[in-house]
């Protein structure tokens, strides 16, 4: 769209970009919102899962008789289908590794479930579960990715399925991926300077507020109904159909409000299948809610070891880059193959490189399985690359901001939204604007040099920039499935229903879609309702992940709204005798109801409600449309984070007293919710930089925090910067391929925060930290020159 | 994984006596099978984690005998007093900043409003917040059983991690200490991972001064040994001495030698040694400044 | 008054009196959620660390996940469901949580609102550090807290207006 057209459209936006109250807010502030863990059904039983105390063991026998005598319904590996599955259904089947069953005979991590019970109360279920006797044969275990690849390492799998074919596992390598562009050897030859460094990121826990839950009701026809903590109702239904051999028409998965996700429920999590198996056996509704400690043993973020090498010219032009990564995926391969592809894409799309090589290895260990967490490899790649940019800038004596502006991938250039098979051309870009505008806001030019800083408390300023894909759409099909379906209905009173299987994880995705529909339909936001959704009353939507909610989900909603509007205008044209193409709709300033009118003709006006009601009475039908829509693009939303740190050099404590967060999300649909995404991303990013990790006892294979918040700490309100010292701004951009110019935001919000914090620490102390999280222990070790794991010798 | 933080499954009998005598009778009868329930913010968690499984819970929250708050020649704080009662009491007295700061540092209001002074002493944690400042006040713990009352100096109260001198049939009635003479002041500092957390290291200081000379000095630390501990050599080095930077540094050095911290999930032994010296310097500076007025 | 191991207790919850028979080992959070259907109090960690289960007991904030129901016999409990005004209108703190978009996933919101009410009852004009101090026992994973702090600041300002008909005390607001 040309500049003129874009400005005209922006001028005319009524609802998109306005600050509105979220539609689910009332239920949430009154405590009446119903999450899956709050659901209750008559005669419902409560479930508990018997979990392995060993990191690697074979179940020799299970005796459930004592539990059954207590009245509990019990399931063991004998009672579940012998189907190997992958809980994540986003990739095409031939790229999907399947290594788990509902209840396994061989456990590969502490906390893996091998049996489950259902009883009248949770306490009774817990007692019955503890009454089950399991005879275990302990197997050797390995907790380190490097050791796992050694010749003498315990073999965690002999084989898994890739698609439907057997895939042998050697040296515990779950998958390997190499992607190259040009000839990296030639590129490094051309370079004036080569900088090589190692980086490492932590095994962070998602810590979504609501532990995972599932409630399953068996139906008379053998089917099931399910409420659960999910990010995709349709993928869950398809997977349950496959595991339990049920026709999809007999599986109804409801969308439930979710208490935070951050990626933790992209896949159909383990409690879902266990709950379904129990309900099918009990012939009664069964509810399974994980304890926090079970939840922490159920999933974590993919950590990464990264070896990064860039070759640059004297003027700062990057000529070659190579990134090798080793990812410790834990006990199951949930989505390591696409992760590695994405990491290559994040690497390629941050800075222009004529020659590039990427090698990623994903390795099994006997730990909690890793899955996608906000950013999906991008926080790791951005941390390494953005640290590297500062190192290069320092070596070349170039301002770090200028180095970034010189090399960033921007307008008109190719972008890999989801690995090498999902590519698009960047058509909106606010990178330079954010860097130039943000720098003075944080006081970039006054940040000083570390060698000039003295005293106990030292401050430093750092920058990190990043992006994330908006969904995984592309012109051609790739390894990743991406489309959404939406239905828009014009009701007989002029209100509008929007129905979609899209999820809101809290960020306001469904509100954004309702706003886009309101904008397109010409009615007020208040008159657009978000319908409850289940698999039986919505079309397919892949999953609310990959920062695709607004761009892809919204894209389908707008398309459905356009189609419904066309039907409506056709009805209207019959009533007021105006060619439908000449009609417009705008909300009545008082009632908010849509008014259909011909510009300049006072008598050619009729409300949307009148048209819909008349069409009903005359039997013309309903103005309704369903659209299944794939975006042919996946534009990057760019984010830039500036942070200031203050280090107490005596205690090693680090605070972030100030920050500037900027986003280029195209047209901003929900300004205050968008700001909330950036503020939340900042907080989580600081947590990844300075606080959060899960460590394992090398003997027992248990997490040292035991899965408890007593020792897995999260930042509190008191740890964060004052509200006025966290500035958020939006770049002035318009994405031509997006609904009303919008792109995504979600994941981009935290990708660059850790790099910004580490760059600020370098500016404060003159010390470069390359392993995160950096704790006060490590800060002191670095300052005093103590030996400390995770701190490189100076 | 025999832990469940959603439900308590162990069976126990719950007693809520209305007099101390009645409570002590239960403890005498049940011995080690009983546990005293005050605010419950620690005990219930221990039960969920399977670390304690009492058969009898004796809820002491209704016992008026544990709710004294007296400020005379002695300051007496009933063991059943909740932190949120003690904090304004101390703030009203206008001194005893160290103890007030320790209580305030717990911070989590939902805990301050139910947790008690007796509970914090009774769980015997080396990282508990109130013992170090109380030790700098030379506090004593008043302990009762059905048969006797005794007064245990706080410095003899802790016997190891999670272990105290209490017999199973005894209960903490109060903690008491002499009112400060004019000119005495105290301060408390702690380090945690996040604002609401168990301490990594704590340090409390109480001092009196005559000009630049330190005439009384008490230093106590938490989470740097099996019990909260006094830094006696450091105290001795400072008492009667003119306070200057080198005296404080010397003192910090002695503290680092005197403590016996360990590595744990919160931080390393080395970090604790370094931080103990820093916290001492900060706490001392604050108490010293306060003692001037 | 419960004096021995009887299991019948009386809880006044949001102004309504309930006689309940409970086991001594039943936690207040589970009784509120499962017996009384008040699911606004959330299980987040079970170890008193996250504040999602915060309720007011006799006017004071407490963690329902580490509180025995039997120990609450005779006490008045207020949950998030009890703080809207008697006419069904929202409490000013709820209004401001909505207006400031302090709510994302919403799972921490009930505990946050109850703590905000407790703060404003004690301290009608809190500074920002006082607000942050007061809610530091409540974890929010979504917002980074800024929206929540702003909402409490605005609620304080709004409740301080002389014309405000809404009392600052959440307990008095209970039905």
């Amino acid at each position: 769209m040309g500049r003129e057209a874009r400005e005209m459209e922006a001028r005319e936006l009524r609802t998109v970009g306005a600050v509105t109250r979220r539609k689910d807010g009332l239920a949430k502030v009154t405590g009446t919102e119903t999450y899956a863990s709050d659901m209750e059904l008559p005669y419902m039983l409560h479930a508990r899962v018997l979990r392995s105390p060993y990191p690697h063991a074979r179940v020799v026998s299970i005796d459930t008789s004592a539990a059954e005598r207590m009245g509990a319904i019990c399931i063991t590996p004998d009672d579940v289908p012998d189907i190997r599955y992958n809980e994540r259904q986003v990739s095409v089947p031939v790229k999907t590794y399947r290594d788990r069953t509902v209840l396994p005979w061989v456990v590969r991590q502490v906390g893996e479930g091998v049996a489950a019970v259902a009883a009248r109360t949770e306490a009774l279920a817990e007692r019955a579960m503890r009454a089950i006797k399991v005879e275990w044969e302990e197997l050797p275990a390995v907790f380190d990715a490097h050791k796992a690849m050694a010749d003498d390492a315990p073999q965690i799998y002999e084989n898994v399925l890739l698609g439907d074919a057997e895939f042998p596992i050697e040296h515990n390598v779950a998958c390997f991926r190499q992607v190259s562009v040009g000839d990296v050897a030639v590129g490094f030859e051309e370079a004036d300077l080569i900088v090589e460094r190692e980086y490492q990121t932590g095994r962070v826990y998602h810590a979504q507020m609501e532990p995972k839950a599932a409630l399953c009701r068996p139906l008379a026809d053998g089917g099931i109904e399910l409420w659960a903590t999910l990010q995709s109702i349709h993928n869950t239904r398809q997977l349950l159909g496959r595991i339990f051999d049920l026709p999809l028409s007999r599986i109804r998965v409801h969308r439930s409000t979710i208490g935070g996700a951050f990626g933790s429920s992209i896949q159909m999590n383990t409690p879902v299948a266990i709950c379904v198996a129990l309900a099918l056996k009990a012939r009664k509704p069964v509810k399974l809610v994980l304890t926090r400690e079970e939840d922490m043993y159920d999933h974590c973020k993919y950590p990464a070891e990264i070896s990064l090498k860039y070759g640059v010219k004297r003027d700062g032009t990057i000529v070659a880059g190579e990134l090798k990564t080793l990812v410790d995926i834990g006990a199951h391969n949930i989505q390591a193959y696409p992760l590695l592809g994405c990491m290559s894409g994040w690497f390629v799309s941050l800075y222009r490189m004529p020659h590039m090589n990427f090698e990623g290895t994903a390795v099994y260990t006997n730990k909690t399985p890793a899955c996608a967490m906000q950013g999906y490899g991008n926080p790791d790649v951005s941390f390494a690359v953005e640290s590297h940019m500062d190192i290069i800038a320092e070596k070349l004596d170039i301002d770090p901001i200028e180095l970034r502006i010189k090399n960033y991938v921007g307008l008109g250039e190719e972008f890999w939204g989801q690995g090498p098979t999902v590519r698009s051309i960047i058509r909106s870009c606010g990178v330079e604007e954010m860097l130039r505008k943000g720098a003075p806001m944080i006081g970039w030019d006054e940040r000083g040099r570390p060698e000039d800083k003295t005293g106990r408390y030292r401050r430093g300023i750092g920058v990190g920039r990043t992006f994330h894909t908006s969904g995984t759409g592309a012109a051609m099909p790739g390894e990743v499935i991406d489309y959404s379906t939406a239905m828009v209905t014009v009701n007989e009173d002029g209100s509008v229903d929007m129905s979609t299987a899209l999820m809101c994880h809290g960020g306001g995705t469904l509100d954004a879609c309702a706003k886009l529909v309101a904008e397109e339909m010409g009615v007020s936001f208040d008159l657009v309702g978000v319908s409850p959704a289940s698999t039986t009353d919505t079309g397919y939507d892949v999953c609310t992940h990959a920062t695709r909610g607004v761009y892809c989900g919204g894209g389908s909603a707008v398309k459905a709204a356009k189609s419904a509007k066309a039907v409506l205008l056709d009805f209207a044209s019959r009533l007021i005798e105006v060619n439908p193409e000449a009609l417009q709709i705008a909300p009545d300033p008082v009632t908010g109801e849509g008014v259909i009118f011909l510009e300049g003709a006072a008598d050619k006006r009729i409300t949307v409600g009148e048209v819909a009601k008349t069409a009903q009475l005359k039997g013309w039908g309903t103005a309704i449309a369903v659209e299944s829509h794939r975006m042919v693009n996946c534009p990057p939303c760019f984010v830039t984070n500036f942070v200031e740190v203050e280090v107490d050099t005596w205690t090693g404590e680090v605070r972030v007293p100030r920050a500037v967060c900027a986003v280029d999300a195209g047209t901003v649909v929900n300004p205050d919710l968008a700001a909330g995404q950036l503020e939340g991303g900042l907080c989580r990013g600081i947590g990844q930089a300075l606080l959060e990790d899960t460590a394992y006892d090398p003997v027992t294979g248990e997490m040292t925090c035991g899965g408890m918040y007593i020792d897995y700490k999260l930042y509190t309100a008191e740890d964060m910067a004052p509200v006025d010292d966290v500035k958020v701004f939006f770049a002035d951009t318009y994405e031509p391929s997006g609904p009303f110019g919008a792109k995504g935001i979600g994941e981009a919000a935290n990708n660059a925060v850790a790099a910004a914090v580490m760059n600020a620490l370098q500016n404060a102390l003159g010390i470069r930290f390359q392993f995160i999280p950096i704790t006060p222990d490590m800060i002191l070790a670095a300052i005093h020159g103590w030996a400390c794991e995770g701190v490189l010798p100076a | 994984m025999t832990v469940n933080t959603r439900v308590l499954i162990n069976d126990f009998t719950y007693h809520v006596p209305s007099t101390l005598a009645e409570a002590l009778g239960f403890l005498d009868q049940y011995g080690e099978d009983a546990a005293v329930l005050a605010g419950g913010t620690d005990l219930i968690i221990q039960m969920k984690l399977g670390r304690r499984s009492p058969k009898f819970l004796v809820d002491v929250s209704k016992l008026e005998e544990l709710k004294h708050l007296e400020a005379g020649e002695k300051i007496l704080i009933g063991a059943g007093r909740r932190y949120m009662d003690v904090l304004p009491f101390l703030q009203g007295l206008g001194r005893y900043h160290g103890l007030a700061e320790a209580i305030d540092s717990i911070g989590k209001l939902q805990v301050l409003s139910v947790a008690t002074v007796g509970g914090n002493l009774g769980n015997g944690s080396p990282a508990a917040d109130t013992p170090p400042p109380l030790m700098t006040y030379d506090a004593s713990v008043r302990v009762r059983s059905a048969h006797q009352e005794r007064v245990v100096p706080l410095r003899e109260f802790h016997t190891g991690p999670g272990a105290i001198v209490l017999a199973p049939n005894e209960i903490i009635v109060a903690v008491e200490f002499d009112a400060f003479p004019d000119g005495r002041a105290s301060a408390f500092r702690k380090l945690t991972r996040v604002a609401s957390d168990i301490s990594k290291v704590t340090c409390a200081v109480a001092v009196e001064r005559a000009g630049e000379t330190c005439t009384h000095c008490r230093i106590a630390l938490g989470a740097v040994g099996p019990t909260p501990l006094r830094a006696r050599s450091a105290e001795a080095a400072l008492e009667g001495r003119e306070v200057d930077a080198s005296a404080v540094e010397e003192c910090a050095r002695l503290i680092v030698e005197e403590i016996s911290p360990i590595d744990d999930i919160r931080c390393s032994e080395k970090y604790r040694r370094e931080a103990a010296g820093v916290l001492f310097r900060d706490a001392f500076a604050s108490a010293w400044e306060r003692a001037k007025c | 008054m419960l004096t021995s191991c009887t299991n019948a207790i009386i809880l006044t919850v949001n102004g309504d009196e309930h006689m309940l028979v409970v086991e001594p080992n039943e936690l207040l959070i589970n009784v509120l959620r499962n017996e009384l259907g008040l699911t606004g109090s959330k299980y987040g960690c079970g170890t008193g660390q996250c504040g999602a289960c915060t309720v007011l007991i006799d006017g004071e904030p407490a963690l329902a996940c580490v509180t025995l129901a039997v120990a609450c016999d005779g006490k008045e409990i207020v949950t998030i469901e009890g703080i809207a005004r008697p006419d069904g209108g929202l409490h000013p703190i709820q209004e401001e949580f909505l207006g400031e978009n302090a709510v994302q996933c919403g799972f921490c919101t009930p505990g946050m609102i109850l703590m905000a009410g407790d703060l404003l009852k004690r301290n009608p004009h809190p500074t920002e550090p006082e607000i942050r101090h007061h809610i530091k026992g409540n974890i929010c994973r979504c917002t980074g807290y800024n929206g929540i702090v702003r909402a409490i600041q605005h609620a304080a300002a709004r409740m301080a207006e002389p014309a405000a008909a809404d009392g600052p005390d959440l307990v008095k607001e209970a039905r």
Side-chain angles (χ1 to χ4, degrees), chain A residues 159-182:
Chain A
N159 59 63
V160 298
L161 294 179
L162 175 55
D164 293 320
E166 291 280 338
F167 179 83
I169 298 294
E170 286 166 13
H171 295 103
N172 292 313
V173 173
C175 56
F176 171 80
R177 229 170 153 165
Q178 197 215 346
V179 181
S180 27
V181 174

Side-chain angles (χ1 to χ4, degrees), chain A residues 144-163:
Chain A
D144 174 90
H146 295 276
K147 289 179 185 160
M149 291 189 293
D151 287 340
D152 59 350
Q155 205 173 349
I156 299 174
Y157 290 90
E158 282 179 10
N159 59 63
V160 298
L161 294 179
L162 175 55

Side-chain angles (χ1 to χ4, degrees), chain A residues 484-488 498-501 539-540 553 556-558 560 625-629:
Chain A
S484 286
T485 306
M487 179 169 82
V488 170
M498 177 191 72
S499 173
T500 166
Y540 183 79
S556 72
V558 168
V626 182
E627 295 288 354
S628 230
H629 183 61

Side-chain angles (χ1 to χ4, degrees), chain A residues 137-289:
Chain A
E137 177 197 342
E138 278 189 74
L139 301 170
V142 61
F143 308 109
D144 174 90
H146 295 276
K147 289 179 185 160
M149 291 189 293
D151 287 340
D152 59 350
Q155 205 173 349
I156 299 174
Y157 290 90
E158 282 179 10
N159 59 63
V160 298
L161 294 179
L162 175 55
D164 293 320
E166 291 280 338
F167 179 83
I169 298 294
E170 286 166 13
H171 295 103
N172 292 313
V173 173
C175 56
F176 171 80
R177 229 170 153 165
Q178 197 215 346
V179 181
S180 27
V181 174
D183 184 337
V184 81
V186 171
F188 285 122
E189 291 262 316
E190 291 169 5
D192 297 322
L193 173 72
I194 291 174
V195 178
E196 205 168 351
R197 288 283 192 283
E198 310 281 325
Y199 300 91
Q200 200 168 305
T201 59
R203 205 174 185 82
V204 172
Y205 170 54
H206 299 70
Q208 79 292 350
M209 286 297 292
E210 183 189 21
K212 290 170 211 153
L215 168 61
C216 178
R217 166 157 61 192
L219 302 174
D221 63 0
I224 53 168
E225 201 173 358
L226 178 81
W227 296 258
T229 42
L230 300 169
Q231 291 176 234
S232 171
I233 56 176
H234 283 279
N235 286 347
T236 299
R237 172 166 77 162
Q238 291 186 17
L239 183 52
L240 289 174
R242 181 170 166 270
I243 295 173
F244 294 99
D245 194 22
L246 287 169
L248 299 189
S249 57
R250 289 191 197 164
I251 303 174
R252 184 171 188 193
V253 181
H254 294 266
R255 178 173 68 207
S256 306
T257 304
I258 193 166
F262 314 108
S264 60
S265 290
I266 288 174
Q267 60 276 7
M268 183 190 85
N269 288 304
T270 55
V272 173
I274 294 171
C275 184
V276 169
L278 272 171
L280 288 172
K281 181 161 179 187
R283 306 301 308 147
K284 276 186 179 173
V286 172
K287 180 177 173 181
L288 172 55
V289 184

Side-chain angles (χ1 to χ4, degrees), chain A residues 20-22 25-26 28-31 33 35 37-38 127 205-207 209-211 258-260 262 291-292 373 505-506 672-673 676-677 679-680 683-684 692 708-710 713-718 720-723 726, chain C residues 25 30 33-34 39-40 42-45 47 49-50 52 80-81 90 94-95 97-101 103-110 113 128-129 132-133 135-136 138-147 149-150 153:
Chain A
T20 46
R21 289 190 171 195
R22 55 187 304 148
L26 190 62
K28 285 177 174 175
V29 299
T30 53
E33 183 68 296
Y35 300 78
S37 49
D38 297 329
R127 284 182 194 160
Y205 170 54
H206 299 70
M209 286 297 292
E210 183 189 21
I258 193 166
F262 314 108
T291 63
R292 177 58 68 186
M373 181 170 171
H505 311 151
D672 51 349
L673 292 176
Q677 289 290 297
E679 291 166 342
C683 183
R684 290 186 295 280
E692 296 182 39
M708 303 285 170
Y709 278 174
I710 298 168
K713 299 319 290 184
L714 300 162
Y715 279 129
T716 74
E718 203 170 43
M720 291 291 109
V723 284
V726 176
Chain C
N25 64 7
N30 294 335
R33 289 174 55 85
N34 303 338
T39 56
K42 303 299 186 194
Y43 165 91
C45 71
T47 50
Q49 305 291 314
C50 77
I80 186 66
E81 290 91 343
L90 293 179
Q94 293 173 311
E95 285 279 358
F97 266 66
L98 273 179
E100 277 303 307
N101 271 313
V103 177
Q104 285 191 27
C105 87
F107 214 72
C108 76
T109 307
I113 288 175
E128 182 175 342
R132 290 181 180 271
H133 185 73
I135 59 170
K136 75 175 175 184
N138 294 63
I139 297 295
C140 169
R141 188 57 155 171
C142 298
T143 65
Y145 303 102
N146 276 5
V149 172
R150 278 192 294 264
Q153 287 173 328

Side-chain angles (χ1 to χ4, degrees), chain B residues 5-14 16 44-45 48 57 59 62 82 84 104 107-110 113 195-196, chain C residues 2 4-5 24-25 27 30 43 45-48 54 60-61 63 65-66 71 115 122 133-134 136-138:
Chain B
T5 57
R6 284 180 57 83
V7 290
L8 270 181
I9 64 155
N10 25 342
D11 285 320
F12 52 82
T13 303
Y14 171 82
V16 54
I44 303 297
I45 296 170
K48 284 183 174 182
L57 277 195
D59 183 341
K62 300 243 178 339
R82 303 171 306 169
M84 62 167 303
D104 198 37
K108 204 184 290 173
L109 274 294
Q110 296 98 317
S113 64
S196 176
Chain C
L2 194 72
S4 66
C5 49
N25 64 7
L27 298 165
N30 294 335
Y43 165 91
C45 71
T47 50
T54 299
E60 307 289 355
L63 299 165
C65 80
V66 291
M115 288 311 290
R122 293 166 201 269
H133 185 73
H134 209 86
K136 75 175 175 184
N138 294 63

